[in-house]
Every structure is written in C-alpha cells, then in structure tokens.
Amino acid sequence: MQFFIDTADVAEIRDLAATGLVDGVTTNPSLVAKSGRDFFEVLAEICDLVPGPVSAEVTATEHRAMLAEGRRLARVADNVVIKVPLTPEGLKACRAFTDEGTKVNVTLCFSPAQALLAAKAGARYISPFIGRLDDISVDGLQLIADVVEIYGAYPAIGTEVLVASVRHPLHVVESAKLGAHVATIPPAVLRAMFKHPLTDKGLAAFLDDWAKTGQKILSDDDAAEPERRSA
Ligand code: G3P
C-alpha cells in the first residue's frame, strides 16, 4: 500500500518525507486555505520535496474552466496530479485530461456507483472519503470494500483506490486488508501509526539495562563522526 500525506503544510511534509515513508501528497482547497500560503508556491515546494504524485485540486466547476486551471497547475511540476470533483463536469474534465496524458484524482467519492463512473472516465485515482461517511453513520470502510471488489472484477480498470478522509490508524490498517492501493493520511495519523505503549516501555527498559552495563557501541569520537561528515 502506498502512503500519501494529506496536507498542504510544507514543514509537516518535509519532516515526514525524511522518514522515507511518503510516496505522495494530496492537497485540497481547504488544506491550502489552512496553510495560509500562496497555492502555486506551496505546490512547487511540495513537488520539490516529494518526487511522487502530488494532487492539486481545481476550483472551477465547469469542465472547460477546470481544464484551463488544471493545465496551469500541471505546469508547476511533472508530478502534479489534477484533482477534480465527482460531478458530471468533473468527469468530462477527467476524460479530457486522461486523453492528453495528465493523471487525474477524482475526489469527493461517496458511493460505489460514483467510483464506477470515475473509472470509466479514465481516472488514475478515485478518492472515497471514508471518515465523512463514518461521520454520518454510514460505514466508510464498506465503500472501500465495494470499490476494491468492483475494480478487481475488471482487470482493464487502471484506476487506483486512494482512501481519503482517514481519521485514525485503524482506517489505514483495514483499508490495507481490503487491498486498497493508497491511503492519504493526515500527518497526525501517520505519527500515531508509529505509536504503541509496549514499544515505548520496551525501549525504556532496554536503554535502562544497557546503561547499567556501562558499555558503549561507539566511542565518543566515532559517535561524533557522522556529524562531522555532514558538517
Ligand atoms: O483530501 C481529502 C480528504 O482526505 C479530506 O479529509 O478529514 O476533510 O474529511 P477530511
């Protein structure tokens, strides 16, 4: 499963990209607004930091205007993926972008029927929003199961299931069990995935016991060596 980061916060992306675990990034107009920064500057910085797919969303609602916006966004970097909403106009734009070789992420998917339409429109990614379904007492993970099953029945479908609106690590784990291709994960959720109280407790005990031996694996000089090399 690929991990994308769902944020427009460049500092967060830089920090998490350093873990080597980030395959791509997704943004949306709300996340850009939250960053308080210029969209084009932020997008260029993200594309520089992460070589994988970076989704940038159009804000026009008519397909010709979406195409104009998307073409402008695609000029920012080769790894930009254009995000369009799951509307008839969005899917018209999706088909046109796909035909001209630009990858599209179709967003705001809440039903298997919508996911089928996006696949027929040639989307590279479909983004089912599972957290927002859970919020209205509809099982978001069931949507992932349905879409994975439907796409799996047609090997010609090249659309990848990109699980979005992820709220906690269990969403990621259960989506992985269902075979979803990608999860776009908020930074706090990715950090939470590292955590287990027994890991912290176990590490503390190992370090305590090691300190009692009075030994060191590296001499102080050797330990300083990597810092000297990077200076
Ligand atoms: O990027 C789209 C999606 O992940 C938004 O999530 O938390 O606003 O429902 P959320």
Side-chain angles (χ1 to χ4, degrees):
M1 177 183 241
Q2 291 208 307
F3 285 176
F4 292 179
I5 299 297
D6 198 25
T7 185
D9 183 328
V10 174
E12 289 274 39
I13 295 167
R14 184 177 295 112
D15 189 45
L16 290 168
T19 65
L21 299 170
V22 177
D23 301 301
V25 176
T26 54
T27 66
N28 64 38
S30 304
L31 293 171
V32 174
K34 194 170 158 196
S35 79
R37 296 193 50 205
D38 176 80
F39 187 17
F40 284 96
E41 270 180 33
V42 168
L43 185 58
E45 286 175 29
I46 296 172
C47 290
D48 243 20
L49 279 171
V50 177
V54 175
S55 290
E57 189 161 342
V58 298
T59 54
T61 52
E62 188 276 325
H63 79 278
R64 279 164 302 205
M66 288 179 184
L67 286 172
E69 287 188 354
R71 287 177 187 135
R72 175 68 189 87
L73 293 169
R75 285 208 300 275
V76 170
D78 288 344
N79 51 334
V80 169
V81 171
I82 302 304
K83 214 169 175 188
V84 301
L86 210 154
T87 60
E89 291 299 304
L91 294 192
K92 274 191 229 171
C94 176
R95 170 47 64 198
F97 280 129
T98 300
D99 289 347
E100 54 190 50
T102 300
K103 290 180 188 151
V104 179
N105 174 359
V106 176
T107 189
L108 292 167
C109 171
F110 294 95
S111 77
Q114 290 180 318
L116 253 177
L117 295 175
K120 285 191 76 69
R124 174 58 191 265
Y125 300 103
I126 182 67
S127 290
F129 275 33
I130 63 174
R132 293 192 195 184
L133 282 172
D134 288 353
D135 290 345
I136 58 161
S137 301
V138 174
D139 183 359
L141 284 164
Q142 184 57 50
L143 174 58
I144 301 304
D146 289 342
V147 179
V148 168
E149 181 186 343
I150 291 167
Y151 285 6
Y154 295 92
I157 291 179
T159 308
E160 295 192 9
V161 179
L162 194 172
V163 180
S165 189
V166 164
R167 297 285 159 77
H168 44 70
L170 199 54
H171 271 156
V172 182
V173 172
E174 292 301 320
S175 297
K177 281 158 74 175
L178 292 166
H181 305 88
V182 190
T184 188
I185 308 172
V189 175
L190 184 58
R191 291 203 176 88
M193 288 174 71
F194 283 90
K195 300 298 282 179
H196 195 287
L198 292 180
T199 303
D200 296 341
K201 190 176 166 195
L203 180 59
F206 286 157
L207 295 181
D208 269 2
D209 290 340
W210 181 247
K212 285 177 210 151
T213 72
Q215 301 180 59
K216 283 183 176 172
I217 293 173
L218 292 179
S219 69
D220 290 344
D221 264 9
D222 286 345
E225 191 57 28
E227 279 170 37
R228 269 204 293 272
R229 260 190 243 117
S230 67

